[in-house]
């Protein structure tokens, strides 16, 4: 998938870089964004103190349930030395918050919890307030203390933030030298603060985007084509004339209806007579992985030491291929947005992860000036990546634009599932040889990734279905052979196993010891849309890497934990691996375990330095039915400085069980015409009657490490830990996800 | 279009709607309630759950015309952020949600099961929740919260 610098913007600092290169010259803001009307270098863009001492903070990172709203509130409270209850956080509104791009990719913590963004702003504000008090009293700021928003000098003189600046602006730039409060003095951050949305969620008061109401609001539905590539032939608007108040909206291949009530809109969408010109058939699912490997591809070499093949030939290489299917975000609530396009203004309440990019795409789609468009984030159902949020926002804007009234649009379950940007199908082939001393002497890795579309970003509405129907093109792989690797190792998709040295020239950016290494990726055109789904490509890659590592260990009868340690030199991966092994009592005699049970291990250095996790999985395998029942997961996680331990545990527990669901049962199905996984019968999930294994989370927190991402780390290692445990229990290798009963029975046969 | 009288969370309402309209749409759009939410429209996930005569029902497939005079309770009818119902308090204490979109299905279905059998075993509770989905996979905390509430009933 064209992962356009999803994560390559750390360290760009607060500098406003204006690029003049070419026709599409676009001023650049920090965080891989465009420059916006809200200057991220100005403190007033981030923090304000009201006359009553309340602190309002503004952030471009928003909460979908991962807990970042609470954590960011804690951050502001900590840095400004005020109670959590006195902080009001405004998240993701293009009228008032700085452009921080997309809330994705485990980047909220690295972006806002280190020394940039919100952390820098809050620290700057505290120092500025101390400076103001010091000036007023003609003493040094070092002589002051601050607590609860009150600055105190020796001798007991006191002044509040409100008295210093209440209701007024700072008129200051962010200060790169502003000091974060030292971690050993944290009072709010690093503590298990109860998530601030909980009471509203549990009592039905929380305003999801699905609950947003605008006066005079109408209700919409879309009418999607019957298959990918189908184009509109005709629409018979009279076919819905018996339903009162229905308007039919047609624009190129986009078809939608608007009515006074949801019920009327649902009926009209069902009843509207639309004729489509068919698109091409989809490749058969039964041999799709073979098909994928034969497509022309855009290739990339991540590492190539140049001597792998010779060394492999000299040894006795082990070879294995792994398969990961298309999977869905499958949000519990279908995506919804409310758009109000009237009087030259566009306002969209959207569950998007990317308010500014969405604003840019909507301006483009409607052909209106950017400054007339406002996108306001409201949480939808958990998205886990690019679900239908962006598509529904574009569609709602088109409908409202056409009818001149505010329109609420919620997808049907089928609209959501059939047309979302799926997690990519990936095939991975490993070949490696082990030397006489029991270490890997050469390793070749090659994979094939299906890609079509992606996040729309600022410029590409065609990356999701709505844009394509409106006439925009999706991003596609551009077939070309790989060039020799250059620069520093880029392992943001966990393509390179952490046991490789990752050397390009003399610079070795990997965390491991294998120097004869070659990693080649092929990106081929996907017949269906793909996009980021929690740990995109990282979950697929880690499954293949960690399962193969287990096969290598078994081939020399080595203990899988010890064999990993033999090839690791990154101290943080080593630490989580040892922590998980210790907590799970790894190494206890297997005779102590019941028949049909097994344990497996997996670990990850997420994105080459954005979090670390290791897992020991205990599973039971029923040889008759082929059913795998995980019994217990012990997961050790290191995400640097922890903002909220309860939030981290919640994310990790959920991520682990979601990873288990994806490993055991989730797979998108299709026929020759279209995706057939369109509801919770045709796309399986684990309901609340499933007896879940216990998840024990061990937090490993190195004293001085800055915050990394945490929401996507643990999910990557669940599949391989389970598959490796099945091997331990049965001696059978499972190399294709989902690890269904049929596949287990076949492997045991 | 006929006028219908509904009893929701202890209050009477008169709405003018097509009786075939799913109850969910009336609760959301006519009465402005946020607790029950559209998840699938197919009675497969539970996000739209409300209680009617002690049973958890799926309001996305319940025609409003079939409700009659029966009292309907939504998640906001159980308690408020200031005065949550004990089962809501148990969920707050356990932090048993991530996105929280599933809460109507989870809490009301569990409450209906424990109302009917306050001594329900874990297995009986799980069976009752067999049609309720949480895609964030907060399953373990959800079960802990329900157990916490069940223990408070027992003691």
């Amino acid at each position: 998938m064209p992962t356009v610098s999803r994560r390559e913007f750390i360290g760009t600092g607060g500098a406003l870089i204006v690029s003049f290169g070419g026709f599409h010259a676009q001023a650049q803001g920090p965080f891989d964004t465009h420059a916006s009307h809200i200057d991220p270098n100005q403190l007033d863009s981030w923090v304000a103190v009201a006359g009553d001492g309340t602190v309002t903070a503004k952030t471009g990172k928003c909460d979908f349930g991962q807990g970042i709203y609470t954590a960011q509130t804690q951050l502001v409270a900590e840095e400004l030395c005020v109670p959590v209850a006195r902080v009001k956080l405004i998240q993701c509104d293009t009228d008032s918050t700085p452009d921080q791009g997309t809330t994705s990719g485990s980047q909220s913590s690295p972006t806002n919890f280190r020394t940039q963004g919100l952390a820098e702003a809050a620290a700057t504000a505290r120092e500025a307030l101390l400076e103001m008090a010091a000036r007023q009293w003609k003493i040094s700021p070092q002589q002051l203390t601050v607590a609860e928003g009150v600055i105190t000098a020796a001798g007991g003189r006191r002044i509040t933030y409100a008295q210093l600046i209440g209701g007024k602006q700072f008129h200051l730039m962010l200060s790169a030298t502003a000091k974060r409060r030292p971690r050993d003095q944290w009072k709010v951050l690093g503590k298990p603060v109860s998530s601030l949305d909980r009471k509203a969620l549990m009592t039905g008061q929380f305003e999801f985007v699905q609950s947003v109401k605008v006066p005079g609001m109408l209700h919409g539905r879309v009418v999607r084509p019957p298959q990918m590539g189908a184009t509109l032939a005709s629409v018979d608007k009279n076919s819905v004339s018996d339903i009162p108040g229905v308007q039919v909206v047609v624009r190129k291949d986009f078809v939608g209806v608007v009515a006074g009530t949801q019920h009327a809109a649902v009926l009209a969408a069902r009843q509207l007579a639309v004729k489509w010109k068919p698109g091409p058939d989809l490749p058969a699912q039964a041999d799709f992985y073979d098909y994928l490997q034969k497509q022309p591809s855009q290739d990339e070499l991540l590492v190539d030491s140049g001597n792998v093949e010779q060394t492999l030939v000299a040894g006795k290489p082990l070879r294995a291929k792994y398969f990961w299917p298309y999977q869905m975000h499958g949000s519990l609530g279908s995506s919804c947005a409310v758009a109000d396009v009237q009087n030259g203004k566009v306002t969209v309440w959207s569950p998007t992860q990317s308010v500014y990019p969405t604003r840019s795409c909507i301006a483009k789609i409607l052909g209106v000036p950017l400054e007339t468009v406002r996108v306001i984030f409201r949480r939808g159902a958990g998205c886990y990546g690019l679900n239908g949020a962006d598509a529904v926002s574009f569609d709602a804007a088109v409908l409202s634009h056409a009818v001149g009234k505010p329109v609420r649009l919620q997808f049907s379950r089928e609209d959501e599932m059939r047309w979302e940007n799926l997690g990519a199908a990936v095939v991975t082939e490993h070949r490696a040889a082990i030397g006489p001393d029991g270490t890997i002497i050469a390793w070749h890795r090659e994979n094939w990734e299906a890609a079509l579309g992606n996040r729309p970003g600022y410029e590409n509405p065609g990356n999701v279905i709505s844009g394509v129907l409106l006439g925009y093109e999706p991003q596609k792989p551009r077939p070309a052979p790989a060039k020799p690797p250059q620069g520093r190792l880029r392992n943001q998709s966990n393509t390179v196993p952490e046991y490789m040295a990752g050397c390009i020239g003399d610079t070795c950016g990997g965390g491991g010891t294998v120097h004869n290494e070659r990693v080649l990726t092929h990106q081929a055109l996907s017949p269906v849309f793909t996009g980021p789904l929690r740990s995109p490509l990282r979950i697929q890659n880690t499954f293949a890497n960690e399962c193969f590592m287990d096969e290598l260990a078994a081939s020399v009868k080595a203990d899988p934990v010890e064999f990993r340690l033999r090839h690791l030199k990154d101290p943080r991966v080593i630490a989580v691996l040892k922590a998980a092994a210790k907590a799970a009592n790894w190494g206890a005699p297997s005779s102590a375990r019941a028949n049909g049970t097994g344990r497996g291990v997996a670990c990850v250095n997420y994105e080459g330095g954005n979090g670390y996790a290791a897992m020991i999985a205990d599973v039971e395998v029923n040889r008759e039915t082929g059913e795998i029942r995980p019994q217990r997961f012990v997961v050790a996680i290191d995400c640097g400085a922890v903002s909220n331990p309860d939030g981290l545990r919640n994310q990790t527990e959920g991520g682990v069980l979601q990873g288990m669901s994806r490993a055991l049962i989730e797979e998108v199905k299709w026929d020759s015409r279209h995706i057939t996984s369109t509801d919770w019968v045709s796309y399986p999930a684990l309901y609340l009657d499933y007896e879940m294994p216990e998840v024990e989370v061990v937090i490993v927190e190195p004293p001085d490490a800055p915050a990394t991402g945490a929401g996507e780390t643990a999910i990557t290692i669940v599949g391989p830990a389970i598959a490796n445990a099945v091997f331990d229990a049965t001696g059978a290798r499972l190399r294709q996800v989902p690890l269904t009963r049929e596949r287990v029975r076949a492997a045991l046969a | 279009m006929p006028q219908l009288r509904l009893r929701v969370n202890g209050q009477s309402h008169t709405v003018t709607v097509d009786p075939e309209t799913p109850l969910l749409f009336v609760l959301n759009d006519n009465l402005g309630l946020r607790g029950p939410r559209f998840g699938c429209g197919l009675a497969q996930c539970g996000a739209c759950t409300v209680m009617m005569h002690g049973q958890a029902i799926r309001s996305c497939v319940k025609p409003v015309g079939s409700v009659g005079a029966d009292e309907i309770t939504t998640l906001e009818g159980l308690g408020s952020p200031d005065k949550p119902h004990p089962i809501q308090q148990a969920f707050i204490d356990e932090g048993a949600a991530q996105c929280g979109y599933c809460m109507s299905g989870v809490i009301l279905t569990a409450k209906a099961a424990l109302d009917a059998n306050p001594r329900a075993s874990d297995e009986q509770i799980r069976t009752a929740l067999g049609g309720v989905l949480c895609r964030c996979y907060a399953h373990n905390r959800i079960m802990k919260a329900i157990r916490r509430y069940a223990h408070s009933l027992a003691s």
Side-chain angles (χ1 to χ4, degrees):
Chain A
M1 134 184 4
T3 43
V4 191
S5 61
R6 187 167 116 101
R7 292 171 169 78
E8 284 163 37
F9 46 81
I10 307 179
T12 50
L16 190 77
I17 304 152
V18 181
S19 138
F20 295 101
F23 179 73
H24 290 292
Q26 169 67 47
Q28 292 284 307
F31 318 115
D32 200 28
T33 62
H34 289 182
S36 83
H37 53 292
I38 294 165
D39 183 354
N41 302 303
Q42 290 289 337
L43 179 54
D44 296 317
S45 301
W46 300 89
V47 177
V49 179
D52 64 356
T54 310
V55 175
T56 299
K58 297 165 188 172
T59 177
K61 298 293 182 186
C62 32
D63 199 320
F64 322 108
Q66 80 277 41
I68 202 72
Y69 184 90
T70 302
Q72 290 181 115
T73 305
Q74 288 174 261
L75 169 71
V76 173
E78 181 64 55
E79 291 302 326
L80 275 156
C81 304
V82 295
V84 163
R86 212 178 294 166
V87 178
K88 185 178 175 236
L89 186 70
I90 298 174
Q91 51 179 353
C92 300
D93 174 350
T94 62
D95 256 18
S96 61
T97 62
D99 184 356
Q100 294 196 287
T102 299
T103 305
S104 70
S106 289
Q107 283 303 321
S108 297
S109 288
T111 303
N112 273 349
F113 288 77
R114 291 183 178 178
T115 54
Q116 304 173 29
L118 191 59
E120 186 182 0
T124 301
R126 186 193 67 248
E127 290 196 353
L129 288 158
L130 284 166
E131 189 73 36
M132 280 177 219
R135 254 197 323 267
Q136 199 161 323
W137 294 334
K138 298 194 171 51
I139 53 175
S140 148
Q142 277 75 43
Q143 294 171 269
L144 302 175
T145 57
V146 56
E148 306 270 311
V150 180
I151 297 170
T152 308
R157 257 195 303 192
R158 296 155 53 91
I159 192 163
T160 65
Y161 288 172
Q163 288 167 324
L164 281 169
I165 199 168
K168 294 198 288 285
Q169 294 202 314
F170 284 96
H171 296 296
L172 288 172
M173 303 287 277
L174 292 199
S175 163
T177 57
K179 288 205 174 50
R180 292 283 314 276
R181 284 182 35 76
R183 204 155 132 196
D184 56 8
Q185 291 174 29
W186 282 359
K187 293 189 169 66
V188 184
L189 208 51
K191 310 292 178 206
V193 170
S194 176
S195 186
L196 297 168
D197 52 19
R198 256 175 217 173
K199 284 188 176 177
L201 285 173
M202 307 312 181
T203 56
Q205 306 281 342
F206 190 86
E207 188 190 50
F208 284 91
V209 70
Q210 283 86 353
S211 319
V212 167
K213 299 264 180 294
V214 176
M217 184 175 87
L218 303 175
H219 295 272
R221 278 274 167 140
V222 293
V223 180
R224 294 299 198 214
Q227 62 181 131
M228 280 292 283
T231 53
L232 186 61
S234 66
V235 179
D236 176 10
K237 295 188 180 183
N238 289 327
S239 60
V240 291
S241 57
D242 60 321
I243 305 172
V246 174
Q247 301 179 68
V248 178
V249 177
V250 179
R251 190 177 142 185
K252 200 165 179 305
D253 295 319
F254 172 85
V255 181
V257 296
V258 176
T261 66
Q262 284 201 73
H263 185 52
V266 169
L267 293 180
R270 208 176 284 157
Q271 194 173 305
L272 187 71
V274 187
K275 289 197 174 122
W276 302 89
K277 289 177 216 148
D281 279 359
L282 294 175
Q285 180 155 23
D287 52 10
F288 177 71
Y289 292 124
D290 292 337
Y291 165 92
L292 180 65
Q293 293 166 71
K294 287 180 194 143
Q295 298 309 298
S297 60
Q298 178 179 329
D299 296 350
E300 186 179 10
L301 270 170
L302 291 173
V303 288
D304 185 6
S305 57
N307 51 355
V308 170
E309 291 299 343
Q310 298 92 300
T311 322
L312 280 175
V313 171
K316 266 198 292 177
L318 194 70
R319 177 183 195 140
K321 241 180 196 181
Y322 300 87
F323 306 89
W324 192 284
Y326 288 107
Q327 292 183 330
M328 261 179 208
H329 301 77
S331 288
L332 184 66
S334 56
S335 295
C336 177
V338 178
D340 185 2
V341 186
Q342 289 188 89
N343 309 319
K345 285 203 160 164
V346 181
T347 309
V348 183
W349 289 264
S350 165
T352 181
Q353 296 171 276
S354 331
V355 283
Y356 276 93
T358 296
R359 169 180 180 247
S360 171
C361 282
I362 287 173
K364 190 171 188 164
I365 288 167
L366 300 185
V368 300
L370 187 62
E371 55 275 15
T372 64
V373 184
R374 178 183 184 187
V375 177
I376 305 167
F377 170 76
R378 282 290 181 279
R379 185 194 294 184
C383 61
Y384 327 114
L386 179 65
N387 66 346
D390 291 17
V392 82
S393 303
F394 300 168
D395 289 339
V398 168
L399 290 175
S400 177
H401 187 241
V403 303
K405 293 263 175 60
V407 175
R408 177 191 184 276
L409 169 64
Q410 185 162 15
F411 285 155
S412 70
R413 177 86 340 230
E414 182 179 316
D415 298 336
E416 178 84 17
M417 285 185 153
R418 178 160 286 157
W419 295 102
E420 69 156 83
N421 292 64
L422 305 171
V426 177
V427 177
T428 305
E429 185 185 61
H430 284 290
R431 287 180 290 141
I434 297 180
D437 68 345
T439 62
I440 302 164
I441 51 170
W443 194 337
H444 188 279
R445 185 196 198 273
E446 186 171 11
N447 75 352
W448 293 261
E449 310 161 359
L452 172 67
N454 199 343
R455 285 192 192 284
Y458 294 84
E459 306 286 349
N460 296 303
N463 278 347
V464 297
I465 177 62
S466 312
V468 169
L469 296 175
L470 295 167
Y472 298 94
E473 282 291 315
Q475 276 173 250
K476 293 173 185 170
R478 296 181 182 141
K483 294 179 189 133
Q486 281 189 335
R488 223 185 115 72
L489 175 71
R490 290 166 54 251
N491 199 23
Q492 77 270 25
S493 295
N494 283 99
T495 319
V496 180
E498 49 258 38
Y499 312 100
M500 287 189 183
C503 301
I504 302 173
D506 295 334
T507 313
C508 298
T513 56
V514 180
H515 280 266
N516 289 343
E517 49 182 350
R518 187 167 187 265
V519 175
L520 173 63
T521 67
H522 308 273
Q523 219 181 68
L525 184 65
S526 169
V528 291
F529 290 106
T530 61
L533 165 60
R534 201 170 188 178
S535 303
L537 299 179
R538 295 136 185 87
I539 197 170
Q540 295 90 330
N541 286 330
T542 305
F543 174 74
N545 295 346
E546 286 299 298
C547 285
F548 189 62
M549 197 60 184
D550 223 66
E551 299 206 35
L552 290 171
S555 75
V556 291
K557 299 189 170 51
D559 174 88
V561 170
E562 190 276 320
F563 188 74
R564 281 171 171 78
L565 291 170
R566 217 182 270 182
H567 295 89
L568 284 171
K569 59 183 170 60
D570 186 306
R572 293 174 77 178
V573 189
I574 291 171
V576 288
L577 184 55
K578 286 182 172 172
K582 185 174 172 215
N585 198 17
W586 179 270
S590 59
S591 55
R593 295 200 301 271
N595 205 12
T597 64
R599 347 185 67 178
V601 62
C603 62
V604 70
N605 171 355
Y606 195 66
E607 302 180 337
N610 193 19
Y612 308 82
M615 167 175 282
I616 310 293
D618 286 301
V619 307
E620 187 180 334
V621 183
N622 184 324
R623 287 179 163 270
E624 301 295 311
T625 64
E627 190 185 15
I628 302 168
R629 291 300 294 215
Q631 297 173 313
R632 181 180 181 226
F633 295 123
V634 175
V635 57
I637 182 162
D638 166 7
C639 59
V642 177
S643 301
N644 185 329
D646 182 59
L648 173 62
R649 286 180 190 281
N650 200 12
Q651 270 293 288
T652 306
E653 289 162 14
V656 163
L657 296 183
Q658 193 175 60
M660 181 185 102
S661 173
R662 287 175 67 179
L664 292 184
I665 57 168
E666 295 191 34
E667 176 172 27
V668 172
K669 299 285 176 64
W670 67 88
D671 62 17
S672 64
R673 291 175 64 232
H674 54 205
I675 286 168
T676 53
S677 299
T678 56
D679 62 16
W680 295 119
V681 174
S682 46
Y683 190 76
L686 298 173
Y687 282 78
L688 279 160
D689 58 347
Y690 187 88
E691 192 175 352
M692 286 292 181
E694 176 197 348
V695 181
E696 185 183 332
V697 180
V698 179
I699 298 176
V700 177
E701 197 172 0
D704 295 315
T708 72
E712 297 183 303
T713 324
I715 194 172
T716 58
I717 49 178
V718 186
I722 293 173
N724 295 339
V726 171
F727 173 76
D728 184 48
T730 66
R733 286 288 174 194
L734 300 174
R735 301 188 182 95
Q736 182 165 351
V737 168
L739 313 174
T740 58
R741 295 173 186 213
E742 295 73 28
R743 289 192 181 123
V744 173
R745 286 203 304 269
L748 288 172
Chain B
M1 240 180 259
Q3 282 199 336
L4 296 171
R5 283 178 67 81
L6 291 174
R7 287 279 301 170
V8 181
N9 298 334
Q11 290 189 319
S12 288
H13 301 270
T14 305
V15 292
T16 308
V17 291
D18 177 349
E20 290 300 312
T21 305
L23 171 62
L24 174 67
F25 293 163
V26 176
L27 297 173
N28 288 164
D29 299 336
N30 298 72
L31 307 187
L33 292 166
R34 294 173 173 180
R37 288 178 278 269
F38 183 92
C40 62
L42 305 162
Q44 292 178 353
C45 75
C48 66
T49 300
V50 299
M51 285 178 82
M52 257 177 79
H53 37 77
Q55 304 273 321
I57 65 148
R58 303 285 159 97
S59 68
C60 72
V61 292
K62 176 86 182 160
V64 67
S66 71
V67 171
D70 287 330
E71 171 83 22
I72 294 158
T73 305
T74 70
L75 192 57
E76 46 267 84
L78 284 194
S80 65
D82 293 333
K83 278 185 89 173
H85 184 278
I87 191 169
Q88 292 171 318
Q89 187 62 51
F91 274 74
I92 293 166
D93 293 341
E94 292 291 346
Q98 287 175 42
C99 85
Y101 200 88
C102 63
M103 281 297 120
S104 286
V106 173
I107 293 178
L108 295 175
T109 308
K111 181 173 184 297
L114 286 163
D115 284 352
N117 177 12
R119 294 173 185 281
S121 64
D122 276 11
E123 201 180 329
Q124 288 169 320
I125 293 167
R126 267 200 304 274
T127 303
L129 289 164
V132 179
L133 195 53
C134 163
R135 282 288 287 170
C136 298
Y137 286 100
H139 291 45
N140 284 354
R141 285 187 176 212
I142 286 169
M143 278 308 295
K144 270 188 210 151
I146 297 171
R147 246 179 253 137
R148 178 190 278 251
Y149 170 65
H151 287 158
S152 77
L153 289 181
S155 60

